[in-house]
Amino acid sequence: MKDVYILAVETTCDETSIAIVKNGHDVVALTILTQMDEHALYGGVVPEIASRRHTENITMVLEETLKKANMSVNDVDAIAVSYKPGLLGSLLVGVEFAKTLSFVYKKPLIGVNHLIGHIYANNLEDNLEFPVIALVVSGGHTELSIMHNDYEFEMLGCTMDDAIGEAYDKVARVLGYPYPGGPHIDKAAALGKDTYKLTKPVDDDTYNFSYSGLKSQIINLVNTEKMKNNEIRKEDLACSFQNIAVDELERKVEKAFNETGIKRLVIAGGVSANSYLKEQMKVLCDKHEAKLYIPRLLYCTDNAAMIGAAAYPLFLKKEFKDLSLNPSSHSDLEQ
Ligand code: KG4
Ligand code: ZN
């Protein structure tokens, strides 16, 4: 069969990224331009700034990617774009850009769900086999599902309030770490001990998660200690928080292993970059003799290569979009 080259565009949040991916597995070229440092000044992503920067930079990111690949847009077989979920203004830049390329170069257009993109990041270095338990842990999502086949999801549970990445970012902020806080908590926790007694979320025997109570406990604790002029042991608090946050994920994944009998786990989204989470999930998968998929660090956080990987099965099924494609902030696991 002829090789399939997909040019993929990703602008859901604060990374402008374009990639060319061959046959859904091989990254021919990838460019990621992050705006993280600028948003860090404000303690989080400022949507208006994000969409402006995407607009200013996207053409340059395309040129750079084509140069790295030594290809032109004429050489690719399709244009893919993540069109949901995300910041609407940011999504709009990527979607309009991809629609224009598709129209001008007469290439089919593929709309990709960003969350599903995170899962397919695992196809860039491995080969996803089904059925697999899929855990998406990012700044906006905490979702557990069974993936029966390409694009066939059965939802098990999701967060009832904050996403795990959001909790990491808020806890980091109250501890004085810059945005995005997840990597800082990751490093701090590795240096600390679990000495703070925090209450765990209630075990309601569902597959749902809740992180807002844990986050609020820490914010209250820090504020109370500050008022009393007491020292906060940042590393220890980061460690106590992280242990509970990751234990929750483990507990639900173990329940899924036991109840579904499926012995494969794929972890996706920005928080899958977390070292403690990776370690713990390896231990859990070894215990259950389950296969674990976690992407390489570069592919854990937002990037267009994962969008190219997720677009490939849709290309094979000829599931194309037309120029009426609009961005959506809907965060389901639907194509
Ligand atoms: O998937 P992603 O890049 O963007 C979204 O789609 O949300 O995820 C970003 C999230 C942020 O909350 C960030 O703090 C978190 O992933 N993150 C981490 C780590 N690296 C990134 N959280 C914990 N430990 C990390 N090492
Ligand atoms: Zn993401």
Side-chain angles (χ1 to χ4, degrees):
M1 203 179 91
K2 185 186 161 295
D3 287 330
V4 174
Y5 291 87
I6 296 180
L7 187 150
V9 179
E10 156 65 41
T11 62
T12 50
C13 190
D14 59 342
E15 266 90 29
T16 317
S17 181
I18 296 186
I20 297 176
V21 178
K22 185 175 136 190
N23 301 332
H25 287 276
D26 302 324
V27 182
V28 180
L30 167 65
T31 310
I32 307 172
L33 188 74
T34 181
Q35 312 165 0
M36 206 183 278
D37 292 345
E38 189 169 3
H39 296 290
L41 301 173
Y42 304 93
V45 177
V46 183
E48 173 62 24
I49 295 180
S51 43
R52 278 189 206 201
R53 295 294 171 262
H54 287 309
T55 312
E56 286 162 12
N57 295 327
I58 197 159
T59 311
M60 184 178 75
V61 172
L62 172 66
E63 279 169 6
E64 175 146 355
T65 310
L66 292 172
K67 203 163 119 194
K68 284 179 194 159
N70 199 14
M71 291 172 85
S72 105
V73 182
N74 279 313
D75 301 327
V76 305
D77 299 282
I79 310 291
V81 62
S82 50
Y83 77 105
K84 73 173 181 184
L87 300 171
L88 273 180
S90 290
L91 287 168
L92 201 56
V93 179
V95 169
E96 292 307 315
F97 190 76
K99 276 165 41 173
T100 309
L101 289 179
S102 153
F103 179 72
V104 171
Y105 291 91
K106 300 187 176 51
K107 304 287 177 187
L109 179 67
I110 302 170
V112 174
N113 178 323
H114 175 85
L115 297 178
I116 300 180
H118 274 300
I119 294 173
Y120 278 91
N122 289 282
N123 257 351
L124 295 171
E125 287 169 316
D126 211 325
N127 207 351
L128 278 176
E129 285 183 86
F130 306 109
V132 60
I133 303 290
L135 176 67
V136 179
V137 279
S138 74
H141 300 88
T142 315
E143 294 185 1
L144 191 66
S145 58
I146 304 173
M147 198 173 175
H148 290 287
N149 216 324
D150 278 317
Y151 282 86
E152 277 175 32
F153 292 93
E154 181 187 336
M155 189 66 147
L156 294 176
C158 62
T159 181
M160 305 314 286
D161 38 61
D162 292 353
I164 183 166
E166 200 178 338
Y168 264 93
D169 292 339
K170 298 268 167 61
V171 167
R173 189 199 285 196
V174 76
L175 291 179
Y177 296 111
Y179 172 85
H184 297 279
I185 297 283
D186 188 351
K187 286 196 196 101
L191 302 171
K193 290 200 183 68
D194 185 354
T195 55
Y196 283 90
K197 296 281 162 279
L198 303 169
T199 314
K200 288 186 176 196
V202 180
D203 184 4
D204 61 358
D205 205 35
T206 70
Y207 284 109
N208 292 328
F209 302 91
S210 167
Y211 283 106
S212 97
L214 181 61
K215 173 197 76 181
S216 306
Q217 269 185 76
I218 292 174
I219 296 175
N220 292 338
L221 189 149
V222 171
N223 289 338
T224 312
E225 294 298 80
K226 271 188 188 160
M227 269 188 320
K228 292 186 191 159
N229 271 332
N230 288 341
E231 188 212 350
I232 294 146
R233 300 181 311 278
K234 289 206 284 193
E235 283 87 4
D236 291 352
L237 190 49
C239 180
S240 299
F241 157 74
Q242 178 166 276
N243 280 6
I244 294 184
V246 172
D247 276 3
E248 280 300 291
L249 301 177
E250 271 180 78
R251 190 151 63 92
K252 307 284 167 157
V253 168
E254 183 150 43
K255 180 175 158 73
F257 280 157
N258 290 336
E259 290 181 2
T260 66
I262 296 170
K263 297 290 181 229
R264 291 187 197 100
L265 172 67
V266 53
I267 306 187
V271 183
S272 60
N274 185 270
S275 17
Y276 180 68
L277 181 147
K278 284 196 246 190
E279 238 172 70
Q280 292 299 104
M281 291 298 178
K282 270 189 200 120
V283 173
L284 183 68
C285 286
D286 284 349
K287 178 177 158 196
H288 286 267
E289 294 179 348
K291 157 97 182 159
L292 173 63
Y293 302 90
I294 297 193
R296 165 148 62 106
L297 200 59
L298 172 69
Y299 302 137
C300 282
T301 45
D302 292 351
N303 69 85
M306 68 187 201
I307 303 304
Y312 183 64
L314 300 175
F315 179 89
L316 296 182
K317 286 195 272 181
K318 295 197 168 35
E319 289 199 18
F320 301 133
K321 300 281 186 191
D322 59 27
L323 296 180
S324 67
L325 178 70
N326 271 323
S328 150
S329 53
H330 220 264
S331 58
D332 47 28
L333 280 175
E334 301 283 314
Q335 188 228 325

